[in-house]
Amino acid sequence: MAEMELFLFAFVVGLTVCGLTGSTMELLSGRKVAFTEPYVSPANVLRSLAATACAGPFMLVNDALDARRENRISTMALLSCGCTAIAWSLALGIVVLAIASWAIGLLGSGI
């Protein structure tokens, strides 16, 4: 049961980071987050990579919902994008928790 709680916690952390990052990016740019300019561009590869890593699930869901509204993808493809966003959020949460654990270790805290 403890493993399941850890996975759920990591998922919630990933969702929180993704939501906060995506919402901040939307507020700063005034545009919906998606895999397009100004968020993803070949001119700024590192910025694009960071934006995609942190707000990628948010971007994926936005793009998938837009594509579904325009009938460019099927309902099964939309569900596939949703499952991918869930897995991506879990992976993001695991990475964020690992970085936080590493940082706490560097600070010498006995937590």
Side-chain angles (χ1 to χ4, degrees):
M1 187 64 178
E3 292 89 15
M4 185 60 151
E5 291 170 354
L6 288 174
F7 274 112
L8 286 174
F9 182 67
F11 174 68
V12 171
V13 167
L15 251 154
T16 303
V17 169
C18 172
L20 287 173
T21 305
S23 295
T24 303
M25 288 167 52
E26 282 184 349
L27 284 172
L28 293 176
S29 70
R31 296 183 59 200
K32 186 166 58 169
V33 176
F35 291 113
T36 58
E37 292 282 346
Y39 307 112
V40 179
S41 70
N44 297 313
V45 176
L46 289 178
R47 186 190 72 193
S48 298
L49 182 62
T52 303
C54 294
F58 198 173
M59 293 175 170
L60 178 61
V61 170
N62 276 344
D63 282 347
L65 288 173
D66 287 344
R68 182 66 191 131
R69 278 187 215 108
E70 297 169 4
N71 288 327
R72 290 185 286 139
I73 62 171
S74 66
T75 303
M76 287 305 292
L78 178 65
L79 290 174
S80 174
C81 290
C83 291
T84 302
I86 289 170
W88 195 338
S89 295
L90 175 63
L92 178 61
I94 290 170
V95 168
V96 167
L97 289 173
I99 291 170
S101 174
W102 174 73
I104 288 173
L106 282 180
L107 294 175
S109 177
I111 296 177

